[in-house]
């Protein structure tokens, strides 16, 4: 029997075994019943068709309501049958699914008619029914109007089934599978159909899809020339491609569209719908551009989504604004447009459109976050390219007026005023600095009630004050800068007690009479200070002392020594020499009867109106010491970078090539980085880029000024601050001797050495400095530099005896012994370890005993190694405890924490050098790795203000002071980490220069250190020296690119340029040294000039690099040396637009472009830069 007996025929029956087909038997259904039901179904369908044919359209319309009713009844029946679904394969296509009648339905209907039980008309719970087998269903008499309105049942009435897994029972998983897809209703609910209806052919998405890359084929296609088995008969050469192209051209000439050969190949290809190779490449490039635009548009949508969710995320707004440049580079072509020769009008229009878009985003961001200053600054940067200078200046002033208590905003406003060429003058910028400092002083004092003082206002005020002094120095007004520092020191350290409680404005008003009185100021002979003068004025004034006879300075015989030089060269030399000689303000000598009218150069006099608004009040002793260190650094003295608080915008001060050439002393590889160069010119040394210093120090007047300054300020300072100043003074004397050594003038070295030794001995004779190991260390190093090695060893021995038995517990003693051992190691090698002076010094230090001439025992070396290991482990473990101690000790424990206990560079350096001399370089390398990893991990984990909480005003003040302590701790720790990295690199470089050592270790050490400290000039110097040994520069270029991409500082960019310039010099020297027929020792490398220019452009395109004088001046000198005078002239004018205040730039212009002397002098006069030699005076000097 068939599975479907109703449609089975007798002729098609097949006799089969009952055992094999038992599963096909349907015993509950008889064939006779099936035939009768089928006949009934045929009769009903025939009657229905005849009724439709006879009634016509009107009757058919009348039958519509019953149909709907019937449809509803059928739906109810289907609901009773648990929504059984059947496919519509056997239904009539002209009728709906509700009119389909199945045989099984007819049979059950006929069987159930006589014994149909009445159904209930009310719903009831299954648990409430007494007999579960009866009345399991009910008839809902209430009509549902929603069924007439909507096309389907309510989704809550439809049963849902959750599918677990994507497989299906009964399928072979190896050869069969099933794909589950969402239903149409789900797709509509997700918005898929709506999106499809919107995406027409002219929509943006469709156009981008047309420009996108074609899908990658899943199967690789064989080339036409390949055989069926995929193996080619031969390898095609270059000529084959040309022949193939020729054949294609011939085929195009003889194709069906060109049977008479009257068209050329390009026309025939066009008729065939093809194009030349250039057009194909252009189309491919357009497709790639469109694909990139599609990706970027998706990123734009992501930005919009995040901004809707987080509208108060200011950094996200700024990223979205800056992202528009990347988007425009893809849509409009970016740099490719410029290189492809696209018209300037199109580039300007696209750039304008991008600016308008960025401006609209910035406006929306400011409207959402009206109190965010960063967003307003970003908007002003966009306006800078759209608005006129006057309108832009008004907008800046308006913003500063609305936020007068924001020091970062003031700093940006001053940078704009200082670097905007069209509205720049020195007097206007100086007035802006005075307005800034006076406003912040009023906010700090509480005079401006509308805006409260923000945390760190005093530190920001001091930084802005130091920036103003450097601005005046760079513009040539060094007299005003010195007067500013003099007034601030008198205003801070010699203030009368009667005015201390007044506001800053009132104190400045009391200070003005003292300044105009003609009394000697700080640094001048006979200075007594503001406090003593005011006290004496109350008593009746000073008694004028008799004039002391002073030896008049020997003036130069002639300012113009060589008249054979050109006029421009003489102007540069005289201007620089006057700058070096006359940087102090001119004061009339009343003893000689001088008055203000006797001054030959009125610009050398400084009025109180130029400095009065910039005077600020510093309450904390640390900031007062920082002010002194800023002044000493301004004069050219070495200072502690942690205590002096490095400037917030260091790029504005970089102007010296000594930043890039430091650490190149091959005779002292371990100690050459003892005094790092900051790349900032001291006062009085404004020269062309490659000019030389006139003196090693500040000249005779300058040295007298520094001596008077120290003598006057030291008595009013506490003991630990006096020690800092004494250390700076002795390092300055050592630095002058080092400059004389590099100069090679033995006569000057002898005189300078004698003077420096005298000053150092005078400092050591003072009672506070007799037991200072730091000063003894500097004096011993000075003796060693002068060649007095035996005398230096005696000084070192005396210092170690003063240190006593502290041994490794004293950081200063460790640093002293480290320097002694490094100098002994540089002096020469000793084959026997026990006889080495350096090993003897380090071993005696570990033992806690003074040095002696007796030879060492091997056991003492082993004991010393054990002592070093334990001391370093203890010191590293103690670092973790200093963080919690900050809150416990507070201000009282600051000096202890930031002082000796944190300084591990001496201990780690001694241990590493000891291991190097006794065991080997690998042991020393392991010591440095251990110390650096521990300290750098702690520095990364240390975050200021993470463990501070404040609930009240007292708690706020306490938490702020603790935050300052925590920040100082982090700075000191960072300084120690960087010093350890420099020591580590110097030791590895020293070993690689005297022995065989894999440079991969040195490279890995330098790259890891530079990734952590990218602004360390000594580390970059060692890295450049190492990479110059190789003829391949790919590795170094990749590393420079990775560091400069992630770091916004100027120092990595400068060293990347410097490395390429050194490589170019090497290649050029190799090319010049060989004859044309000889083989070159180094292969010439093309494109170095373009690469260097590209590096310069990327540097000056950064925010800080565009306002840094050094890269601009280096760029101009490089182009001139390369013979590109026109391009160098264009870069010079671009530099004027960004750094118009730098006088050194004008000196470079006169030196490199001598024909434009008059033009450059006129610009200097117009912008009010200091001009010491007018051209009229130059003509008079040349005539004489």
């Amino acid at each position: 029997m068939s599975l479907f007996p109703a449609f089975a025929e007798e002729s098609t029956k097949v006799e089969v075994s009952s055992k094999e087909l038992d599963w096909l038997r349907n015993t509950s259904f008889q064939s006779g019943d099936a035939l009768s039901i089928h006949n009934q179904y045929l009769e009903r369908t025939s009657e229905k068709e005849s009724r439709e044919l006879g009634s016509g359209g009107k009757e058919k319309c009348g039958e519509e309501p019953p149909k709907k009713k019937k449809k509803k009844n059928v739906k109810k029946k289907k609901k009773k049958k648990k929504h059984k679904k059947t496919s519509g394969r056997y239904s009539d296509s002209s009728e709906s699914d509700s009119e389909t009648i199945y045989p099984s339905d007819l049979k059950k209907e006929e069987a159930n008619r006589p014994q149909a039980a009445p159904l209930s008309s009310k719903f009831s719970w299954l648990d409430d029914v007494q007999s579960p087998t009866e009345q399991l269903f009910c008839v809902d008499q209430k009509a549902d109007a929603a069924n007439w309105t909507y096309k389907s049942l309510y989704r809550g009435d439809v049963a849902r089934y959750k599918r677990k897994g994507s497989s299906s029972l009964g399928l072979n998983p190896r050869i069969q599978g099933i794909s589950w897809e969402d239903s149409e209703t789900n797709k509509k609910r997700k918005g898929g159909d709506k999106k499809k209806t919107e995406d027409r052919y002219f929509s943006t998405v469709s156009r981008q899809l047309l420009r996108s890359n074609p899908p990658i084929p899943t199967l690789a296609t064989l080339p036409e020339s390949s055989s069926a088995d995929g193996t080619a008969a031969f390898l095609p050469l270059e000529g084959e491609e040309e022949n193939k192209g020729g054949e294609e051209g011939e085929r195009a000439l003889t194709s069906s569209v060109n049977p008479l050969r009257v068209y050329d190949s390009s026309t025939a290809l066009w008729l065939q719908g093809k194009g030349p190779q250039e057009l194909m490449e252009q189309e491919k490039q357009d497709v790639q551009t469109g694909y990139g635009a599609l990706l970027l548009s998706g990123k734009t949508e992501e930005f919009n989504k995040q901004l809707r969710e987080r509208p108060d995320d200011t950094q996200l707004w700024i990223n979205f604004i800056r992202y528009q440049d990347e988007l425009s580079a893809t849509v409009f072509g970016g740099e490719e447009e410029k290189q492809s020769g696209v018209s300037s009008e199109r580039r300007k229009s696209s750039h304008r459109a991008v600016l308008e878009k960025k401006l609209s985003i910035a406006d929306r961001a400011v409207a959402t976050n009206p109190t965010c200053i960063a967003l307003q600054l970003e908007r002003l940067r966009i306006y800078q390219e759209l608005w006129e200078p006057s309108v832009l200046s008004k907008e800046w002033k308006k913003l500063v007026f609305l936020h007068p208590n924001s020091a970062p905003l003031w700093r940006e406003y001053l940078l704009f005023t200082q670097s905007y060429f069209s509205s720049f003058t020195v007097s206007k910028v100086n007035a802006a600095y005075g307005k800034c400092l006076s406003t912040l002083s009023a906010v700090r004092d509480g005079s401006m009630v509308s805006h409260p003082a923000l945390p760190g206002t005093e530190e920001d005020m001091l930084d802005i004050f130091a920036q103003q002094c450097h601005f005046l120095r760079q513009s040539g007004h060094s007299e005003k800068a010195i007067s500013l520092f003099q007034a601030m020191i008198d205003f801070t350290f010699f203030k009368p007690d009667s005015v201390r409680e007044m506001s800053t404005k009132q104190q400045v008003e009391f200070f003005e009479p003292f300044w105009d009185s003609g009394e000697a100021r700080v640094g001048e002979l006979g200075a007594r200070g503001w406090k003593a003068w005011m006290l004496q004025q109350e008593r009746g004034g000073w008694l004028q002392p008799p004039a002391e006879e002073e030896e008049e300075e020997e003036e130069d015989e002639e300012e113009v020594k060589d008249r054979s030089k050109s006029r421009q060269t003489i102007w540069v030399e005289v201007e620089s020499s006057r700058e070096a000689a006359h940087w102090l303000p001119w004061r009339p000598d009343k003893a000689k009867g001088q008055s203000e009218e006797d001054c030959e150069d009125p610009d050398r006099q400084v009025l109180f109106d130029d400095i009065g608004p910039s005077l600020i009040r510093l309450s904390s002793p640390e900031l007062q010491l920082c002010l002194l260190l800023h002044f000493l650094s301004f004069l050219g003295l070495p200072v502690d970078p942690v205590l002096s608080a490095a400037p917030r915008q260091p790029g504005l001060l970089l102007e010296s090539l000594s930043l890039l050439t430091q650490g190149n002393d091959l005779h002292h590889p371990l100690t050459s980085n003892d005094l790092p160069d900051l790349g900032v010119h001291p006062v009085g040394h404004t020269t062309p880029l490659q000019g030389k210093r006139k003196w090693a120090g500040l000249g005779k007047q300058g040295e007298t000024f520094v001596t008077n300054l120290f003598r006057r300020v030291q008595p009013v300072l506490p003991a630990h601050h006096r020690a800092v100043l004494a250390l700076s003074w002795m390092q300055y004397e050592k630095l002058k001797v080092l400059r004389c050594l590099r100069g090679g003038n033995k006569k000057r070295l002898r005189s300078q050495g004698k003077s420096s030794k005298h000053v150092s001995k005078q400092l050591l004779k003072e009672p506070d400095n007799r037991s200072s190991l730091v000063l003894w260390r500097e004096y011993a190093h000075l003796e060693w530099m002068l060649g007095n090695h035996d005398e230096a060893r005696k000084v070192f021995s005396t210092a170690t005896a003063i240190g006593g038995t502290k041994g490794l517990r004293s950081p200063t003693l460790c640093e002293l012994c480290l320097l002694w051992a490094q100098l002994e190691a540089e002096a020469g090698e000793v084959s026997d370890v026990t006889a080495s002076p350096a090993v003897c010094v380090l071993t005696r230090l570990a033992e806690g005993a003074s040095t002696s001439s007796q030879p060492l025992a091997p056991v003492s070396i082993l004991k010393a190694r054990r002592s070093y290991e334990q001391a370093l482990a203890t010191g590293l473990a103690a670092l973790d405890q200093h963080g919690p101690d900050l809150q416990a000790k507070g201000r009282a424990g600051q000096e202890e924490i930031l002082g000796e206990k944190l300084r591990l560079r001496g201990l780690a350096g001694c241990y590493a050098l000891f291991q190097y001399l006794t065991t080997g370089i690998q042991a020393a390398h392991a010591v440095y790795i251990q110390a650096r990893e521990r300290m750098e991990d702690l520095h990364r984990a240390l975050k200021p203000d993470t463990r501070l909480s404040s609930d009240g005003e007292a708690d706020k003040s306490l938490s702020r002071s603790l935050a300052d302590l925590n920040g100082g701790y982090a700075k000191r720790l960072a300084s120690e980490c960087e010093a350890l990295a420099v020591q580590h690199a110097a030791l590895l470089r020293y070993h690689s220069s005297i022995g065989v050592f894999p440079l991969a270790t040195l490279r890995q050490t330098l790259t890891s250190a530079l990734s952590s400290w990218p602004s360390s000039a000594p580390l970059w110097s060692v890295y450049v020296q190492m990479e110059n040994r190789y003829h391949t520069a790919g590795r170094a270029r990749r590393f420079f690119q990775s560091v400069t991409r992630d770091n916004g500082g100027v120092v990595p960019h400068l060293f990347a340029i410097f490395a390429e310039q050194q490589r170019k010099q090497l290649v050029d020297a190799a090319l010049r040294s060989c004859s044309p027929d000889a083989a070159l020792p180094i292969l010439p490398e093309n494109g170095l000039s373009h690469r260097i220019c590209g590096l310069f452009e990327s540097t000056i395109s950064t925010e800080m690099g565009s306002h840094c004088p050094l890269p601009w001046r280096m760029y101009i000198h490089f182009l001139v040396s390369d013979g590109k005078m026109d391009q160098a002239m264009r870069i010079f004018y671009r530099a004027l637009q960004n750094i118009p205040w730098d006088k050194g730039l004008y000196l470079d212009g006169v030196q490199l472009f001598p024909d434009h002397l008059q033009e450059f002098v006129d610009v200097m006069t117009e912008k009010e830069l200091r001009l010491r030699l007018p051209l009229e005076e130059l003509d008079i000097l040349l005539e004489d």
Side-chain angles (χ1 to χ4, degrees), residues 273 454 1123:
L454 300 177

Side-chain angles (χ1 to χ4, degrees), residues 948-962:
L948 302 178
S949 60
S950 57
D951 298 328
E953 293 299 327
D955 291 339
K956 287 183 180 179
S957 61
L958 178 60
S959 61
R960 288 173 187 172
S961 62
L962 292 178

Side-chain angles (χ1 to χ4, degrees), residues 347-624:
R347 290 200 303 269
K348 289 180 180 178
S349 61
S350 63
H351 183 63
R352 179 84 179 191
V354 173
L355 287 178
E356 294 289 349
K357 189 175 181 181
K358 292 168 67 176
L359 186 59
S360 64
I361 299 173
D363 291 338
R364 197 177 70 182
V366 172
T368 308
N369 305 276
T371 59
C372 181
I373 298 177
L375 289 175
Q376 296 179 356
L377 289 176
E378 194 69 26
R379 185 176 63 169
L380 281 177
R381 292 190 187 99
I382 303 172
Y383 277 136
Q384 191 168 346
E385 303 185 43
L386 298 174
W387 285 356
E388 295 295 329
S390 58
V391 181
L392 189 61
S393 179
K394 290 180 181 179
E395 189 67 21
W396 268 105
K397 291 179 181 178
K398 178 182 177 182
L399 183 59
V400 169
F401 177 77
L402 294 176
H403 305 277
N405 59 340
S406 175
L409 178 60
W410 276 108
R411 194 176 284 110
E412 293 293 333
Y413 169 65
L414 294 173
L415 181 60
F416 160 76
T417 310
Q418 183 174 334
S419 59
Y420 211 64
F421 179 78
S422 58
S423 59
F424 166 79
T425 57
V426 173
S427 59
K428 185 182 296 185
V429 176
N430 193 46
Y433 273 104
K435 178 67 175 176
C436 166
L437 293 174
S438 60
T439 305
L440 290 177
S441 296
V443 171
R444 180 200 171 278
D445 297 338
S447 304
M448 187 175 291
V449 187
S450 58
H451 293 80
L454 300 177
T457 301
E458 281 195 19
E459 290 82 353
D460 291 326
M461 291 166 60
L462 180 58
D463 180 72
I464 293 174
F465 174 82
Q467 182 177 327
Q468 179 186 7
C469 295
H470 280 286
F471 162 74
L472 292 172
R473 174 188 61 80
Q474 289 177 326
S475 61
H477 295 270
S478 54
E479 300 92 347
K480 292 182 180 179
I482 293 295
S483 298
L484 263 175
F485 273 116
Q486 286 179 312
M488 267 300 298
I489 291 176
D490 261 319
F491 192 75
T492 302
F493 294 99
F494 303 99
K495 186 178 298 183
D497 298 333
S498 57
V499 301
R500 288 187 180 275
E501 302 300 328
M502 298 181 181
S503 64
T504 305
K505 184 177 181 181
Q506 293 173 339
Q507 292 181 12
V508 172
E509 292 175 355
F510 275 94
F511 183 75
E512 184 175 2
F514 164 72
W515 185 265
D516 294 335
S517 65
E519 185 63 27
R521 301 163 188 167
V522 173
E524 299 176 0
L525 188 64
R528 298 179 178 88
W530 179 23
K531 181 177 181 180
W533 176 84
M534 197 166 182
L535 182 62
Q536 193 65 29
Q537 287 296 315
E538 295 174 357
R539 298 177 179 176
W542 298 109
L543 292 176
Q544 191 69 25
E548 298 181 2
E549 296 183 1
E550 298 181 2
E551 296 181 1
E552 297 184 359
E553 296 183 5
E554 296 181 1
E555 298 182 357
D556 294 336
E557 297 178 358
E558 287 187 6
E559 289 184 320
V560 183
K561 298 181 180 180
D562 189 0
R563 298 180 181 271
S564 62
K565 297 181 180 179
S566 62
R567 183 169 177 259
Q568 297 81 5
T569 305
I570 293 175
W571 182 85
V572 172
E573 291 179 353
V574 175
E575 183 74 19
S576 300
S577 62
R578 288 188 177 183
E579 179 84 21
H582 300 152
W583 52 270
L584 285 171
W586 186 86
R587 299 287 308 284
D589 191 352
K590 295 181 180 180
K592 297 181 181 180
Q594 293 180 350
S595 63
E596 295 180 355
E597 299 177 355
D598 296 332
C599 182
E600 298 179 357
D601 188 358
D603 289 333
R604 293 187 62 189
Q605 299 182 22
V606 181
L607 303 178
F608 185 78
D609 294 339
D610 297 329
I611 64 170
S614 301
L615 296 180
I616 58 177
R617 185 169 57 173
L618 302 175
S619 57
S620 107
E622 288 76 18
L623 290 180
Q624 294 176 2

